[in-house]
Amino acid sequence: MRRINPKYIRIAGITAAIIVVIVLIGGYIAYSKRETLLQKAIYKAKAKAKRDYNLDVKIGSAHFTGLSSVAFSDISVVPYQRDSLFSVKKFNVSVKIFPLIFGTIKLADVTLQNGHLNLTSVKGVKNFDFLFKKKKDTTQTSSKVDLSELSNNLINEVLYKIPDNLSLTNFLISFRDDSTRLNMLAQSAIIKSGNLASTIKVDDGAAQSTWHFDGKMHPSDKNIDVRLYADGKKVELPILQKKFKVILNFDTLTTRLTRVTNGHGETKIYSYLSVRNLLVNHPGLSTTDIIIPSGAIDANFFVGENYLSLDSSSVIHLKKITANPYIKYTLKPVKIYELKVHTGWLNAQDIFDSFPTGMFESLDGIQVAGKLSYNLNLFYNSSQLNDLQFDSRLDKDNFRIIKYGKTDLSKLNSTFVYTPYERGKPMPPHTIGPKNPDFVPLENISPNLRNAVMTAEDPSFYTNRGFVEESIRKSIITDIKDKKFKRGGSTISMQLVKNAFLSRNKTLSRKIEEILIVWLIENNRIMSKNRMLEVYFNIIEWGRGIYGVGEAARYYFGKEPSDLSIGEAIFLASIVPNPKAGIYAFQADGSLRPGLHGYFNLIGRLMAGKGLTPRDTSAYGFYEVRLREGLRRQIAPIDTATADSLMLQPDDEGMGVAPIFEEPKRPNFLERLFGKRDTTPAAKAEEKVKETNDMIKQRIKQEISALKEDYKRRVDNVDTAGKTKKEIKDEKKRLKQEGKDKEKELKAKMP
């Protein structure tokens, strides 16, 4: 082994000694000048606060109490001509030396006594509005922001500011505006050896409670596990109900940060959130309390250079079921929104048992068997809105209903009593069946009316399974364009379920319940399509207090439903979205207002294109429709402008208006020859029908393919126990023939 030259050892020793001496001298100078440096830093910070944010910052005293510890007293922050924002009597802080050498500030110990953070918003004047002012910095306008690095730095900044040891007493956070106030007094909060414990008194004027945060705090290791609960009651804030009409409370909220990594252009944040006995009540969500006994999510957030996402490795836990969500928001170069949900195969009963209490009242107590799997896919590029992708599918494997829950979904197959509601109040009940003299069997309803309503509301009624994804996709596009929810995407099956089983309350839970019931009825063949259509015509509203086609035909025209003309049928189809406006479609002499002329041509052409009515150049009976003479005096005083306004008012649910529009000029022959696109409503509707038919064909092809695979599996796995070869052969033959028959049935549904 070669020995190192002693000369080099002496040189290295001398060099090291010189460095140590320099560091000691520098440290001594810095130590001796530290008070001066501290005051200069405070002066600069106060000047910056005044210059950039118009804040008056005052500090009674500030001095070092150790090598890296500073003690402050009597700190106050007051925005210009605003209420005082912040004050604290005593604030001691120390930082870790080693990270400080490399320019990183990590808090070691913090002591804070008698502090107050005061937030006010009175008569539109906020004492914290400076937080929302943009900095005037033109040098950064062209710089490229990397969200991955930004999020990683932000997380580190937040975690580094959580001290290893904390002693906090009497720190008050208060908020006050014109109608509410909230005080949260942290009587104590302690972090010691990685353990957090706190006591917080909460008072919002309506209720008082004591909250506790406790758990593990290891910010340096990016490992946090904290829970929130209250003494002897739920954690709640009545202020939320006062300001946002939402009731929210829970027993315990637990949150964890387990890991943060940064590399390869992506920051990954692994976290966990759970809640026990969560109660939510909001008018837009449900009319009753929704209770989730236990819910949690393993949330893995991935942040890239230009996107934020909830990764598909995340898992939602809801009682007995789990699901994998995926959400991604891409900011540049264009905004892209992606949403996916996947459950895999789950026991069907577990799914129904896991529904939040109070959300789907009609399905309470339902018993089912088999398995279900749900998949959702939504993709939206903001620069290509019309190409929005939407697919929602609930697949079944040997699924069946063993026992109905609170509501018997088969009740519509026989005579039943229907109670309509108007603005939440029950109206006189109607018997739907032969016992009611106004009940009209399907065969006694004019084909003109049946075809007109199906053309307008659900062209693929006899071939769809209660949903038309293309219609839902188009309605989503319309909602995004108009920035509000409109009527759209509802099939006749969905409208029937809404009327027969559910309230008229416009809530999210009711809409989801409607979709579930439609799926159950359609996929378990609880009702035939003919029976559904028959009940639909006899149950829906056709005018103020007019229910069922029997009443409607006699009310408007003094006719029986079997005698309705093509024009009268198209008129009745036109008022389905907003039946209360129907009477205002007529003029004083009983003729229709001109605004409906285009609608008649639109529906008539679509019907003629399917061979449901002869082609007509006179707007398909528009000029022959006459209101019953006894009703004409009701509309005589109403002028055209008033009538059009009434027809354009939404229904009780805030959705659906009568179709008032003039028929625009169609492109002439030369324009069509040289490629000008026909953009009239009729052409658009015809195109929509074609798209719907194409989608139906594609779905039926998929069903045929699945059917073939299912029967091949059945044939290959015939039970041979105790059977002769001939019996086995006959059973396989029977199954093959059964499969072929069902395949023919599906092909017959092709539009």
Side-chain angles (χ1 to χ4, degrees):
M1 180 176 176
R2 185 177 178 182
R3 296 182 62 185
I4 299 175
N5 192 322
K7 178 181 177 182
Y8 296 142
I9 295 176
R10 287 195 299 272
I11 293 173
I14 293 171
T15 302
I18 292 172
I19 292 173
V20 170
V21 171
I22 293 173
V23 169
L24 290 174
I25 293 173
Y28 173 77
I29 295 173
Y31 185 80
S32 62
K33 299 289 184 181
R34 59 182 181 159
E35 292 292 346
T36 302
L37 294 174
L38 175 63
Q39 297 306 320
K40 284 184 177 181
I42 292 173
Y43 176 81
K44 288 182 179 180
K46 292 168 68 174
K48 181 178 177 61
K50 186 72 173 178
R51 180 182 67 250
D52 294 348
Y53 302 107
N54 215 358
L55 299 176
D56 183 16
V57 179
K58 294 181 179 179
I59 300 176
S61 65
H63 60 275
F64 277 92
T65 59
L67 181 63
S68 61
S69 301
V70 181
F72 298 89
S73 65
D74 298 318
I75 302 173
S76 67
V77 179
V78 182
Y80 178 68
Q81 293 186 339
R82 299 285 195 275
D83 288 340
S84 175
L85 177 66
F86 178 77
S87 64
V88 64
K89 188 69 177 176
K90 179 181 178 181
F91 179 54
N92 296 347
V93 59
S94 65
V95 299
K96 293 183 176 181
I97 296 295
F98 189 74
L100 188 62
I101 295 174
F102 297 94
T104 301
I105 299 177
K106 286 187 177 182
L107 299 186
D109 301 290
V110 170
T111 300
L112 190 151
Q113 296 177 0
N114 301 322
H116 185 196
L117 175 61
N118 177 46
L119 306 174
T120 62
S121 177
V122 180
K123 295 181 180 179
V125 179
K126 300 179 177 66
N127 71 340
F128 52 90
D129 53 4
F130 68 91
L131 295 171
F132 309 108
K133 292 181 180 179
K134 294 183 178 180
K135 294 181 180 180
K136 296 180 180 179
D137 188 355
T138 57
T139 62
Q140 299 296 323
T141 55
S142 60
S143 64
K144 187 177 181 181
V145 177
D146 186 329
L147 294 179
S148 173
E149 290 301 321
L150 180 65
S151 61
N152 186 58
N153 293 337
L154 181 61
I155 290 170
N156 286 334
E157 284 296 314
V158 171
L159 294 179
Y160 291 166
K161 298 308 179 283
I162 299 175
D164 289 343
N165 297 292
L166 169 69
S167 176
L168 181 149
T169 54
N170 295 327
F171 185 83
L172 174 65
I173 299 176
S174 62
F175 171 79
R176 176 172 58 91
D177 65 9
D178 298 322
S179 60
T180 57
R181 70 176 181 86
L182 173 66
N183 291 329
M184 302 180 70
L185 175 63
Q187 292 180 319
S188 66
I190 298 172
I191 299 177
K192 188 174 183 180
S193 301
N195 295 314
L196 167 68
S198 67
T199 300
I200 303 170
K201 296 289 185 180
V202 181
D203 180 2
D204 68 353
Q208 297 179 347
S209 58
T210 302
W211 292 3
H212 297 281
F213 284 96
D214 65 28
K216 301 292 184 180
M217 295 288 287
H218 298 283
S220 298
D221 298 330
K222 297 175 181 176
N223 186 356
I224 296 173
D225 186 350
V226 176
R227 65 177 184 140
L228 167 64
Y229 61 95
D231 276 348
K233 59 189 300 187
K234 289 177 174 287
V235 176
E236 58 184 347
L237 280 175
I239 189 175
L240 296 177
Q241 183 177 5
K242 186 182 295 185
K243 294 190 70 66
F244 306 108
K245 297 181 179 179
V246 58
I247 300 173
L248 187 149
N249 58 59
F250 53 85
D251 284 349
T252 307
L253 180 71
T254 301
T255 181
R256 297 178 194 143
L257 175 67
T258 57
R259 186 158 52 103
V260 178
T261 63
N262 177 257
H264 306 290
E266 195 171 52
T267 295
K268 298 180 179 181
I269 306 159
Y270 297 88
S271 63
Y272 171 83
L273 180 71
S274 71
V275 66
R276 295 191 64 81
N277 293 324
L278 171 67
L279 182 149
V280 182
N281 187 311
H282 186 273
L285 185 61
S286 175
T287 57
T288 59
D289 293 342
I290 292 178
I291 301 173
I292 302 175
S294 62
I297 179 172
D298 294 293
N300 301 329
F301 297 100
F302 291 3
V303 184
E305 179 184 340
N306 65 336
Y307 66 84
L308 307 111
S309 70
L310 177 67
D311 190 66
S312 59
S313 59
S314 303
V315 183
I316 296 174
H317 308 268
L318 188 61
K319 292 179 73 174
K320 300 178 182 180
I321 63 174
T322 60
N324 295 100
Y326 174 75
I327 303 172
K328 185 176 181 180
Y329 172 46
T330 303
L331 285 79
K332 296 180 292 185
V334 295
K335 292 181 179 179
I336 298 175
Y337 305 85
E338 299 173 67
L339 170 64
K340 295 180 181 180
V341 177
H342 171 69
T343 64
W345 289 104
L346 300 170
N347 288 327
Q349 189 62 55
D350 287 347
I351 294 177
F352 284 88
D353 289 344
S354 298
F355 288 152
T357 304
M359 194 164 184
F360 307 132
E361 185 178 359
S362 60
L363 299 176
D364 283 351
I366 192 171
Q367 295 180 17
V368 298
K371 294 185 176 182
L372 295 173
S373 173
Y374 179 69
N375 289 280
L376 169 69
N377 178 38
L378 176 68
F379 180 89
Y380 160 43
N381 184 323
S382 60
S383 66
Q384 300 172 344
L385 177 56
N386 290 331
D387 294 330
L388 179 143
Q389 299 174 20
F390 174 79
D391 177 56
S392 177
R393 190 179 304 277
L394 182 61
D395 295 317
K396 61 178 182 175
D397 181 12
N398 197 29
F399 175 82
R400 60 197 183 278
I401 299 174
I402 298 173
K403 179 184 177 183
Y404 293 116
K406 186 174 182 179
T407 300
D408 182 356
L409 301 183
S410 67
K411 75 173 185 177
L412 305 190
N413 285 321
S414 56
T415 299
F416 66 98
V417 177
Y418 166 61
T419 302
Y421 281 77
E422 294 286 344
R423 301 185 183 279
K425 296 181 179 179
M427 296 292 103
H430 292 254
T431 298
I432 308 300
K435 295 179 181 178
N436 182 350
D438 290 322
F439 179 81
V440 184
L442 187 62
E443 61 269 19
N444 292 343
I445 299 174
S446 167
N448 289 325
L449 182 60
R450 281 183 274 160
N451 293 329
V453 170
M454 283 192 288
T455 299
E457 295 295 309
D458 191 355
S460 62
F461 170 70
Y462 275 102
T463 54
N464 66 48
R465 290 288 185 88
F467 310 98
V468 179
E469 285 187 1
E470 182 61 19
S471 296
I472 299 174
R473 190 185 77 86
K474 290 289 182 67
S475 70
I476 294 173
I477 293 173
T478 301
D479 291 343
I480 293 174
K481 286 180 178 178
D482 296 338
K483 297 181 180 179
K484 62 181 179 180
F485 291 105
K486 286 189 172 183
R487 181 180 183 275
S490 290
T491 60
I492 285 176
S493 304
M494 295 169 73
Q495 294 177 48
L496 172 62
V497 164
K498 178 184 70 175
N499 282 280
F501 294 107
L502 305 173
S503 69
R504 297 296 295 272
N505 298 305
K506 187 183 177 185
T507 63
L508 177 62
S509 62
R510 194 218 71 183
K511 190 64 180 178
I512 298 174
E513 188 173 15
E514 173 188 316
I515 292 171
L516 280 170
I517 293 176
V518 169
W519 188 90
L520 289 169
I521 289 175
E522 290 276 4
N523 283 271
N524 290 274
R525 304 190 184 280
I526 294 173
M527 297 175 65
S528 69
K529 286 286 190 178
N530 282 343
R531 176 59 180 172
M532 293 177 74
L533 197 61
E534 181 177 76
V535 175
Y536 175 79
F537 275 109
N538 281 278
I539 204 174
I540 64 172
E541 185 181 11
W542 299 86
R544 192 172 296 277
I546 307 300
Y547 292 91
V549 67
E551 288 186 41
R554 288 186 283 275
Y555 175 77
Y556 289 106
F557 308 117
K559 289 185 174 183
E560 292 302 314
S562 58
D563 299 327
L564 293 172
S565 67
I566 182 67
E568 292 162 344
I570 293 177
F571 161 74
L572 288 174
S574 75
I575 68 174
V576 170
N578 192 4
K580 291 181 176 61
I583 193 71
Y584 306 115
F586 294 95
Q587 302 182 98
D589 64 354
S591 62
L592 288 167
R593 297 187 182 277
L596 273 174
H597 185 274
Y599 181 83
F600 269 63
N601 268 330
L602 166 63
I603 299 300
R605 286 172 184 158
L606 290 172
M607 292 174 65
K610 292 183 175 182
L612 302 175
T613 190
R615 292 205 174 270
D616 184 0
T617 57
S618 299
Y620 297 89
F622 173 81
Y623 299 103
E624 285 74 41
V625 177
R626 287 292 182 275
L627 179 66
R628 181 168 58 86
E629 191 167 351
L631 289 178
R632 295 178 189 179
R633 58 178 172 271
Q634 294 186 23
I635 57 173
I638 300 177
D639 57 32
T640 300
T642 303
D644 287 348
S645 175
L646 290 167
M647 294 182 73
L648 291 172
Q649 289 180 4
D651 64 9
D652 291 342
E653 291 190 316
M655 304 171 71
V657 295
I660 301 299
F661 61 89
E662 289 291 346
E663 185 176 23
K665 183 180 178 182
R666 294 175 65 89
N668 60 37
F669 172 75
L670 289 176
E671 289 174 330
R672 295 197 299 272
L673 180 64
F674 289 103
K676 182 171 181 179
R677 188 180 178 188
D678 187 350
T679 59
T680 63
K684 289 180 179 178
E686 289 169 1
E687 181 182 352
K688 179 181 178 181
V689 172
K690 182 179 181 300
E691 290 175 353
T692 301
N693 287 342
D694 289 342
M695 187 216 52
I696 293 170
K697 289 178 182 177
Q698 185 62 32
R699 171 161 291 189
I700 291 176
K701 288 180 181 178
Q702 292 175 354
E703 290 180 0
I704 290 173
S705 177
L707 179 73
K708 287 180 176 179
E709 291 181 6
D710 180 42
Y711 272 88
K712 183 179 183 302
R713 186 174 65 252
R714 292 191 190 187
V715 171
D716 293 340
N717 294 279
V718 165
D719 186 5
T720 60
K723 294 181 180 178
T724 65
K725 288 184 178 181
K726 185 177 184 305
E727 288 173 335
I728 295 171
K729 184 178 179 181
D730 290 343
E731 176 64 12
K732 289 185 176 182
K733 184 177 180 181
R734 186 191 67 78
L735 286 171
K736 288 178 181 179
Q737 186 59 47
E738 184 180 294
K740 289 179 181 179
D741 292 341
K742 289 189 176 182
E743 185 179 342
K744 287 180 181 179
E745 289 179 13
L746 288 172
K747 287 181 177 179
K749 293 180 180 180
M750 286 281 194

